[in-house]
Amino acid sequence: MKHHALPNRSLWFLLAASASQTLLTLVGWIAFTWANLLNPISSRADFPMNIPAASEHIDTHSRGRPWEIAVNHLALDLTADFQAKRLQGEATLTLKVAPDVPKETHLYLDVKGLDIIGVAAVGPVGEPERPLSYRLDGNDPILGSALIVTPPEGDPSRFATTRVKITYRTTPEAGALQWLEPVQTAGGRHPFLFSQSQAIQARTWLPLQDSPGARLTFEAILRVPPELTALMAAQRLQPRPDDPPGLFRFRLDQSIPPYLIALAVGDLAFAPLGPRCGVFAEPSVLPKAAAEFDEIEAMIAAVEARFGPYRWGRHDILVLPPSFPFGGMENPCLTFATPTILAGDKSLVALICHELAHSWSGNLVTHATWRDFWLNEGFTVYLERRILEQLYGPERRDMEAVLGYESLKQALKDLPEADQRLYIDLTGRDPDDGLTEVPYEKGALLLTRLEQAFGRERFDRFLKDYFDHFAFQSIRTADFVDWTQTRLFPLDPQAAATIDLDAWLNQPGLPADAPTPRSNRFEAVVQVADQFARGQLPAEALPVANWTTHEWIHFLESLSDRPNASLVADLERVHHLFHQGNAEIRQRFLMLALRSDPATAWPHVERFLGSVGRRKFLMPLYNELIKTEEGRRRAEAIFEKAKAGYHPIAVDSIARKLAQAAGQVPPANVP
Ligand code: BES
Ligand code: ZN
């Protein structure tokens, strides 16, 4: 039980900003100990707890030291220069200083590729600014540098009353930012800019403590060309009377981890979808987007009914140009989404449910370090499926769950054992390496298992209490374990005895009692796929008339280990899948075609790779291409042409993959 040793004084500062919170934690600890005494069956005692609790914010991916001096609030004033492709301006930080810090304590921030112009102390209004001395320390290829600021008069307690203003500009190395030329947008007439801060890219455009445990609030001014609209994932404020055109104001009063700070600038229009929901997109994309997402309010209501209020005010969706490297990103108040979910039939809205669910799991209760990433994504996939079930019924939920389960099983085949753990060690690696099916699907299976063991009613109440209790906090896997063992396990000790949390969190693969999602509709699809693969059913006779997108995906994935050029030709002849508008279906068909008849597939793969920047679609295709020498050379050529259109995050992943395939470097970041 060494993890329960009471943290030392400075660590308490982190654990709880206020005395009352400290008291609550203490009460929780006593309650926990008591519950354990009463409940010897709890697997707690068996849990090899080398997992630190919230009090131990060891984030190996940040140089920040928020337990000494924490950035509480950020005031931004940035100008977007589309000619120079850079942001330039000021970040003014309000700080909180822990009591009794040693007098040599400095402020530590994370920066990567930022051009720091100056650092100044800003006192109360009327007092002149005074320059502060600072230095950059280290230059890690993954983490960047520490920006170390010396306190005014060498006295760190002065940081409590003096704000720190950093004047800076971004450089072409800003991994968070993508500056699009007009031709890369739907309208073709205006440039576009957007950010993607998760996982550790915030430091490439904001000088902050870039750790998910270092929560802050912010306000911002963005100055952009007057014909463009600027958005941030925050509350949008009315312009003030004297504001020039092109000046936009924002603020966010809820404290968030830095990876949720986001902006977008472009030719954007808005369509309301309800009193607190709407969609932004380029004007030509807007009608389709508005139709696709018109159930958003019902989705919010579905979560609120079970898991507590939506605490972020508005919930809008921004549809980005196709180079957006992810499917979706749960930026607060404003989900960022790929245009590839606009299937026209709402069949891909699981992604919207997913990003919405993050408003509880992730944005409200946040993983404190990238080791604990599964707390964000596993909970979110679980909630996403609950929303799907509520809105579209269990059949739909089951299909989505099976697709997730199948990709998890595939991933488990390919991943080293250490990376199959939910509580993964990412020290020395890019946190992006942890972005596998494991935190998502294995995490969701753990919650499904708990729901099965304790019953839905109890589990829902437990989850609601979890969101309330940890609201606006960043927590660690150990906090989840404690909470589960104190608040859930005692409700049914017999059920608790069947749950091996250590196996779920610390062991590779899946525990023997992991739930196995099943779908009746998919079982029928598999039979059809078998007949088709054996040549017993022609492409014309496939029962596609009532197939949903999910059935198509499952059908194509079921064929993937039976590549066959003539079947692919038949599918294309009858169903035109190379030109399918649904990107999920098209991508699966391209994968199958590449395996079956590469020469035929190549031009279609090239067209796809040149038009979409979503990494989940790109990586498997590049991976498949590089399996042969000829394919690898094509992949190189395609990448050379396409990379100007990809976001830096996607460029980086693919470049690493191709270099590895060419034998230029050892496998990146694999221990
Ligand atoms: N927060 C993630 C995206 C992310 C995670 C970006 C880690 C960078 C680092 C987002 O919520 C997400 O999971 N998106 C998925 C879609 C979802 C339906 C599984 C995606 O983009 O594919
Ligand atoms: Zn997510």
Side-chain angles (χ1 to χ4, degrees):
M1 302 257 286
K2 68 173 194 282
H3 59 287
H4 264 129
L6 284 179
N8 70 31
R9 200 187 164 120
S10 67
L11 289 172
W12 273 115
F13 162 72
L14 254 182
L15 176 64
S18 67
S20 69
Q21 196 140 20
T22 308
L23 195 68
L24 270 180
T25 313
L26 207 60
V27 168
W29 182 74
I30 292 166
F32 153 75
T33 311
W34 187 237
N36 252 356
L37 286 174
L38 292 178
N39 172 26
I41 300 168
S42 156
S43 60
R44 157 118 230 154
D46 308 323
F47 196 65
M49 291 292 285
N50 44 6
I51 298 184
S55 51
E56 299 170 61
H57 276 202
I58 310 148
D59 180 356
T60 54
H61 293 102
S62 170
R63 298 284 312 271
R65 305 174 63 82
W67 57 92
E68 294 169 348
I69 301 171
V71 177
N72 256 357
H73 183 78
L74 159 74
L76 266 185
D77 187 335
L78 291 177
T79 302
D81 180 343
F82 280 87
Q83 260 76 53
K85 297 195 171 167
R86 71 179 173 218
L87 295 172
Q88 167 148 3
E90 293 162 357
T92 306
L93 312 178
T94 308
L95 306 171
K96 183 165 175 146
V97 184
D100 303 330
V101 289
K103 74 173 191 334
E104 61 278 12
T105 306
H106 286 50
L107 167 64
Y108 275 71
L109 304 171
D110 292 296
V111 292
K112 192 176 179 195
L114 282 189
D115 190 359
I116 306 293
I117 298 165
V119 179
V122 188
V125 187
E127 266 185 34
E129 284 178 22
R130 283 168 311 146
L132 288 175
S133 65
Y134 64 91
R135 66 186 174 90
L136 290 171
D137 181 68
N139 188 11
D140 184 273
I142 297 169
L143 303 179
S145 315
L147 171 61
I148 306 173
V149 183
T150 308
E153 277 89 51
D155 174 4
S157 71
R158 293 285 307 273
F159 275 139
T161 49
T162 337
R163 291 181 303 154
V164 170
K165 184 173 95 180
I166 299 156
T167 306
Y168 69 102
R169 54 186 164 234
T170 61
T171 66
E173 275 84 66
L177 304 180
Q178 189 177 13
W179 300 84
L180 296 174
E181 299 293 341
V183 295
Q184 297 170 294
T185 67
R189 291 186 39 237
H190 297 282
F192 202 102
L193 162 68
F194 68 90
S195 67
Q196 166 61 41
S197 296
Q198 198 180 14
I200 55 169
Q201 310 291 337
R203 64 192 67 177
T204 72
W205 68 288
L206 299 162
L208 283 176
Q209 291 166 329
D210 191 9
S211 168
R215 306 183 81 97
L216 75 169
T217 54
F218 74 86
E219 64 198 283
I221 293 174
L222 293 183
R223 300 164 197 270
V224 307
E227 65 278 14
L228 302 182
T229 298
L231 294 176
M232 284 192 87
Q235 189 190 339
R236 300 189 297 279
L237 303 181
Q238 290 303 319
R240 297 184 187 167
D242 294 338
D243 285 351
L247 187 152
F248 294 82
R249 292 176 186 271
F250 309 89
R251 65 178 296 124
L252 192 69
D253 295 325
Q254 297 90 334
S255 80
I256 53 159
Y259 73 79
L260 290 177
I261 307 180
L263 62 69
V265 183
D267 179 17
L268 291 166
F270 177 74
L273 297 172
R276 56 177 167 175
C277 305
V279 55
F280 288 94
E282 286 190 66
S284 66
V285 179
L286 192 62
K288 198 172 178 195
E292 205 81 14
F293 303 143
D294 66 3
E295 286 158 326
I296 183 77
E297 180 60 48
M299 293 171 185
I300 302 180
V303 195
E304 285 189 314
R306 294 266 177 177
F307 303 112
Y310 179 79
R311 299 178 213 224
W312 305 89
R314 294 194 57 85
H315 188 80
D316 297 318
I317 300 166
L318 166 65
V319 180
L320 288 138
S323 67
F324 185 60
F326 293 103
M329 178 64 213
E330 66 273 25
N331 297 317
C333 312
L334 185 67
T335 282
F336 282 25
T338 168
T340 61
I341 60 168
L342 302 177
D345 58 3
K346 302 185 189 176
S347 61
L348 304 179
V349 293
L351 191 145
I352 295 300
C353 302
H354 178 97
E355 305 314 333
L356 168 67
H358 273 306
S359 299
W360 286 260
S361 47
N363 300 7
L364 187 61
V365 181
T366 309
H367 59 235
T369 80
W370 299 104
R371 273 201 95 151
D372 310 297
F373 180 58
W374 79 275
L375 288 176
N376 270 21
E377 298 299 345
F379 274 67
T380 297
V381 170
Y382 174 80
L383 290 182
E384 164 198 336
R385 306 243 161 92
R386 294 291 303 272
I387 305 173
L388 288 170
E389 178 191 323
Q390 175 80 34
L391 263 74
Y392 309 108
E395 257 188 359
R396 170 72 172 273
R397 175 208 57 203
D398 289 344
M399 288 194 287
E400 302 260 5
V402 173
L403 288 179
Y405 184 68
E406 300 283 324
S407 29
L408 173 62
K409 281 201 308 195
Q410 187 56 49
L412 291 175
K413 274 192 213 145
D414 300 337
L415 284 170
E417 287 205 340
D419 291 358
Q420 300 181 14
R421 302 164 40 141
L422 284 178
Y423 186 61
I424 182 179
D425 187 0
L426 291 164
T427 306
R429 302 167 67 185
D430 191 322
D432 263 15
D433 291 0
L435 191 43
T436 70
E437 297 293 334
V438 172
Y440 288 80
E441 296 294 342
K442 186 175 173 181
L445 284 178
L446 166 55
L447 297 200
T448 306
R449 175 76 185 89
L450 292 175
E451 183 201 314
Q452 285 173 358
F454 293 89
R456 179 168 281 191
E457 286 311 313
R458 270 195 196 142
F459 189 62
D460 280 2
R461 240 175 295 123
F462 163 79
L463 274 187
K464 181 181 183 303
D465 290 348
Y466 168 90
F467 292 129
D468 286 342
H469 180 77
F470 293 113
F472 300 109
Q473 292 185 45
S474 301
I475 68 168
R476 304 227 37 182
T477 296
D479 301 302
F480 162 81
V481 170
D482 281 359
W483 184 253
T484 306
Q485 290 179 332
T486 26
R487 304 295 292 248
L488 187 63
F489 284 8
L491 302 180
D492 185 344
Q494 264 165 344
T498 68
I499 309 280
D500 184 351
L501 279 183
D502 175 52
W504 280 99
L505 298 171
N506 284 326
Q507 306 298 320
L510 286 173
D513 63 332
T516 314
R518 294 214 179 290
S519 151
N520 294 334
R521 291 184 71 125
F522 275 5
E523 274 151 32
V525 168
V526 169
Q527 285 183 3
V528 168
D530 288 345
Q531 286 178 305
F532 179 68
R534 284 198 297 266
Q536 294 163 350
L537 191 73
E540 288 82 355
L542 293 173
V544 299
N546 55 9
W547 271 3
T548 61
T549 294
H550 307 90
E551 283 157 303
W552 265 113
I553 293 173
H554 198 60
F555 172 75
L556 294 170
E557 287 188 344
S558 306
L559 293 174
S560 68
D561 55 355
R562 288 168 285 186
N564 178 325
S566 81
L567 292 184
V568 163
D570 284 352
L571 282 176
E572 172 57 15
R573 181 173 45 76
V574 180
H575 299 290
H576 314 296
L577 297 180
F578 281 134
H579 296 87
Q580 165 61 234
N582 185 309
E584 294 274 358
I585 297 176
R586 188 163 145 213
Q587 197 267 359
R588 293 331 185 276
F589 186 63
L590 291 170
M591 289 294 292
L592 177 64
L594 261 184
R595 288 191 187 141
S596 309
D597 181 359
T600 305
W602 280 327
H604 300 289
V605 170
E606 175 160 5
R607 190 163 45 83
F608 188 79
L609 293 176
S611 62
V612 174
R614 183 174 173 186
R615 200 169 61 172
K616 181 189 112 176
F617 288 159
L618 304 183
M619 294 311 287
L621 287 167
Y622 278 105
N623 266 330
E624 192 59 40
L625 280 170
I626 62 179
K627 284 184 181 162
T628 65
E629 181 52 24
E630 154 100 73
R632 191 189 65 75
R633 271 185 280 110
R634 283 184 185 265
E636 297 267 8
I638 294 172
F639 180 56
E640 265 325 296
K641 267 204 265 171
K643 75 177 177 194
Y646 296 157
H647 187 281
I649 289 176
V651 172
D652 185 62
S653 311
I654 300 162
R656 278 209 269 171
K657 178 63 62 190
L658 292 179
Q660 196 181 311
Q664 288 163 10
V665 290
N669 294 320
V670 175

